[in-house]
Amino acid sequence: MQEKMKVEIWSDVMCPYCYIGKRKFEAALKDLAQKDSIEVEWKSFQLNPSLEYQPGVNSYDYLARIKGKNREWSEMVHDNLARMAQSFGLDYRFSQTKITNSFDAHRVIQLSKKYGRSNEMEELLFKAYFTDGELISDHATLTRLAKEAGLPEEEVALTLETNQYSEEVHQEMAEARRLGTSGVPFFVFDRKYAIVGAQDSTVFKDALEKALKGWNNK
C-alpha cells in the first residue's frame, strides 16, 4: 500500500473560486479521520494564459470588459463573491486587484514543490492577489513571497531569471485538459474521482472518504 493517498488540485492563483475551494477542501480535510494519510499536490492552471499586465485595471473593470457588461453589473457579481469569501474567513478586495499574467507565479509554485512548501506558496499568492492588491507577476514581489514561504532566495532568483519550470507548468495545464476539465478548481482523488468547482465541504469529505476506502483496500 502507498504511504499516502494523493489529492491533486489544479488551481490558478487569480481564480476567486480556487481560494474559496481551498478553504472548503481544508475544512473537509480537517474533520477527516485519516487526514494524515492524505498528500496534497497543487498543480498549475491558467484561466487566461495570454493575459498581460494591465496597469490601472482591477477585477471590476476586467470582467465588465471581457463579458461586454457595465461596471455596475461587474461590481454586483464581485460583491456577491466577496460575501461568499467572507463566510470562509477570506477578505476579497477586488477594487485593489492588479490584472496580470500568473505564469511566473506558477513557476515559483513549481519550485516550492521541491521543498514541500506548495501549500504555503499557494496561500501567500492567493492573499497577495485578492487581499493585499499585489502585482503577482512582479519578480520582486514573487521573491519576497517565496522567501516568506521558506524557499531559498537564490533558487527563486534563478527560476525567475530563466525559463525554469516553464515546461512543468505547461505539462500540468495539458494534463488537466486530458483529464477533461477546462476550469478550476479541479480536484482529483487518487486518480479515481474528480470534483470541479468550489463545492460544499461535505462533497469534498464524501469524495475523500470514498477514495480512501478504495486506497485502504489496495
Side-chain angles (χ1 to χ4, degrees):
M1 187 173 70
Q2 302 174 45
E3 187 178 342
K4 291 193 175 185
M5 188 191 84
K6 183 176 284 190
V7 177
E8 299 158 285
I9 308 174
W10 276 264
S11 168
D12 191 348
V13 293
M14 292 171 59
C15 163
Y17 293 102
C18 291
Y19 201 3
I20 293 170
K22 183 176 187 291
R23 283 292 183 273
K24 290 183 174 183
F25 175 78
E26 288 168 344
L29 194 59
K30 181 183 176 182
D31 295 330
L32 198 70
Q34 273 190 273
K35 62 184 176 183
D36 293 334
S37 297
I38 302 294
E39 175 190 351
V40 175
E41 181 181 358
W42 286 94
K43 296 207 165 189
S44 296
F45 193 95
Q46 285 190 286
L47 289 167
N48 188 349
S50 63
L51 189 63
E52 296 180 358
Y53 175 41
Q54 301 175 29
V57 176
N58 61 30
S59 294
Y60 296 136
D61 305 318
Y62 176 69
L63 186 66
R65 189 178 71 220
I66 65 171
K67 295 295 186 182
K69 302 281 188 176
N70 59 34
R71 167 89 179 205
E72 288 72 26
W73 172 86
S74 184
E75 286 180 359
M76 181 183 68
V77 171
H78 283 96
D79 288 349
N80 288 336
L81 258 175
R83 281 191 291 272
M84 183 193 304
Q86 190 174 37
S87 68
F88 295 97
L90 303 176
D91 183 11
Y92 281 7
R93 302 177 186 179
F94 290 114
S95 64
Q96 298 179 24
T97 52
K98 293 180 173 61
I99 301 301
T100 191
N101 192 288
S102 61
F103 189 75
D104 283 346
H106 282 293
R107 293 198 297 123
V108 173
I109 290 168
Q110 294 295 325
L111 171 63
S112 72
K113 293 185 187 185
K114 178 180 175 181
Y115 295 94
R117 307 296 292 174
S118 60
N119 192 65
E120 291 80 3
M121 195 71 245
E122 288 275 348
E123 184 68 29
L124 286 165
L125 284 164
F126 276 133
K127 183 176 181 294
Y129 182 74
F130 286 106
T131 301
D132 300 333
E134 301 218 49
L135 181 60
I136 60 164
S137 57
D138 177 68
H139 286 190
T141 299
L142 288 171
T143 300
R144 174 174 49 79
L145 293 171
K147 284 175 63 181
E148 192 175 337
L151 306 187
E153 186 173 0
E154 61 276 11
E155 284 199 60
V156 178
L158 178 63
T159 296
L160 293 172
E161 289 167 4
T162 65
N163 290 324
Q164 200 168 34
Y165 296 108
S166 294
E167 186 59 30
E168 286 85 346
V169 175
H170 288 304
Q171 286 175 353
E172 289 185 358
M173 288 195 286
E175 185 181 20
R177 290 190 290 271
R178 285 196 302 272
L179 290 172
T181 188
S182 58
V184 285
F186 180 54
F187 300 78
V188 176
F189 303 81
D190 198 30
R191 284 295 165 120
K192 289 183 172 61
Y193 309 102
I195 291 175
V196 181
Q199 303 292 335
D200 190 83
S201 294
T202 56
V203 176
F204 288 123
K205 188 166 186 273
D206 289 345
L208 283 164
E209 290 175 343
K210 188 175 180 180
L212 275 166
K213 185 177 180 180
W215 179 79
N216 286 324
N217 291 329
K218 283 182 180 179

